Amino acid sequence: MFGPMRLDAILKVRRTNESGDKVLSLIAERYECCESINYQASNGESAIRSCVSSEKYKSKLSTLELTCGIVVKSIEATISVRIVEGLWPDGFSGQFTAFTASVSHMRVSLLKFGDGSVPVSAAADGTLELSRRVVSVEIFGELRICASGWNGSNKVEREVSFQPLKSGRSSRPLTVGSCEMEVTVCWSLFPFRYPTGCPSSSNGVANKAG
C-alpha cells in the first residue's frame, strides 16, 4: 500500500510435452494500486475511501488486464450459502457475486456455473461449494451478495445486504425462483499491525485494516 510492487506474470499454453509449451504472455512490470490512496498514505494522511484501479499490459500474443482494489478500514467476511428449500431453476445458468456498496462495480465472483448443463453442487445439508468464500468490506460500509440466473433472454437477479459486525455472524434469506437459500456471513477483524517480532512484520508493510 505504501509504494509500487513488481508484477511478474507468465501464461503458457500447455502441451503434452512440457518442452512444447508455448508462452502466451510474459510480463514484468512495476504496478501501483490506487495511486491516490498511496499518495495519502505516504504523506501521513488517513485514507477514508476505498478504490479500484486497472491497468492493461500488452505482450506479443495477448493483453493482460490487472484490477486491484484497496478496501480501507476493512474486516473479513466469510460467506456461506445453503439451499433450505426447492432447487435452482432448471436449465438456468447462475452466478453468485459479492461486493461493497462503495465500490459496487468491483464484483468478486463466489460461484459461477454455466449454460444450464451444470447443476449447482451442494453438500448433504444443502451448502453450496463456493469457489471463493472470503471478501473484505469496510467496517462502516455495506456488504452485498447477489445471485443471478439466466436462460437465454430470461434473467432473474436477487440481492441481499449486510451491515458489518466486528465479530459474530449474520444470516439473511435469498430466493431465486423456487430456490430458497440462506446466506450467512461470519465476521472477523484484521489486526491493525503485526505484533513486534512477528516474521511477517519484517517487510515493514502494515495491514490494510490500519
Side-chain angles (χ1 to χ4, degrees):
M1 180 173 175
F2 295 99
M5 58 182 168
R6 188 77 178 177
L7 167 69
D8 294 296
I10 301 175
L11 306 179
K12 291 184 178 182
V13 177
R14 290 292 188 186
R15 302 286 180 87
T16 305
N17 185 349
E18 186 174 342
S19 61
D21 290 353
K22 187 174 183 179
V23 175
L24 180 65
S25 182
L26 178 59
I27 295 171
E29 295 283 350
R30 175 184 180 274
Y31 181 73
E32 189 165 8
C33 181
C34 300
E35 292 185 14
S36 61
I37 283 189
N38 276 279
Y39 177 80
Q40 293 175 51
S42 65
N43 285 274
E45 300 176 23
S46 176
I48 60 172
R49 291 195 302 174
S50 299
C51 69
V52 175
S53 63
S54 296
E55 287 284 346
K56 290 184 178 180
Y57 301 97
K58 292 185 178 181
S59 60
K60 187 176 180 179
L61 298 175
S62 65
T63 299
L64 175 70
E65 182 178 26
L66 175 67
T67 301
C68 175
I70 294 178
V71 180
V72 300
K73 299 185 183 301
S74 61
I75 61 174
E76 185 178 80
T78 302
I79 302 164
S80 65
V81 181
R82 184 171 66 91
I83 297 175
V84 295
E85 188 173 340
L87 297 171
W88 185 261
D90 186 40
F92 274 67
S93 302
Q95 183 173 26
F96 290 82
T97 56
F99 56 98
T100 64
S102 63
V103 194
S104 58
H105 62 287
M106 179 63 176
R107 298 197 173 200
V108 176
S109 179
L110 306 176
L111 176 65
K112 188 174 183 179
F113 46 100
D115 66 18
S117 61
V118 181
V120 176
S121 179
D125 65 349
T127 299
L128 301 185
E129 297 179 5
L130 303 179
S131 55
R132 174 169 177 162
R133 301 179 57 214
V134 180
V135 298
S136 297
V137 59
E138 304 102 334
I139 185 64
F140 54 82
E142 181 182 59
L143 173 65
R144 296 179 181 175
I145 297 172
C146 178
S148 304
W150 62 92
N151 184 353
S153 60
N154 298 323
K155 185 174 182 180
V156 60
E157 187 171 279
R158 297 290 183 268
E159 187 178 295
V160 63
S161 61
F162 293 84
Q163 296 299 317
L165 303 174
K166 290 186 176 181
S167 62
R169 62 177 59 196
S170 310
S171 295
R172 299 282 188 277
L174 180 62
T175 301
V176 177
S178 62
C179 184
E180 297 182 15
M181 296 168 283
E182 180 183 58
V183 181
T184 300
V185 180
C186 296
W187 307 97
S188 59
L189 289 169
F190 285 110
F192 279 102
R193 57 183 59 83
Y194 290 107
T196 303
C198 175
S200 299
S201 65
S202 60
N203 59 11
V205 179
N207 190 281
K208 61 186 172 183

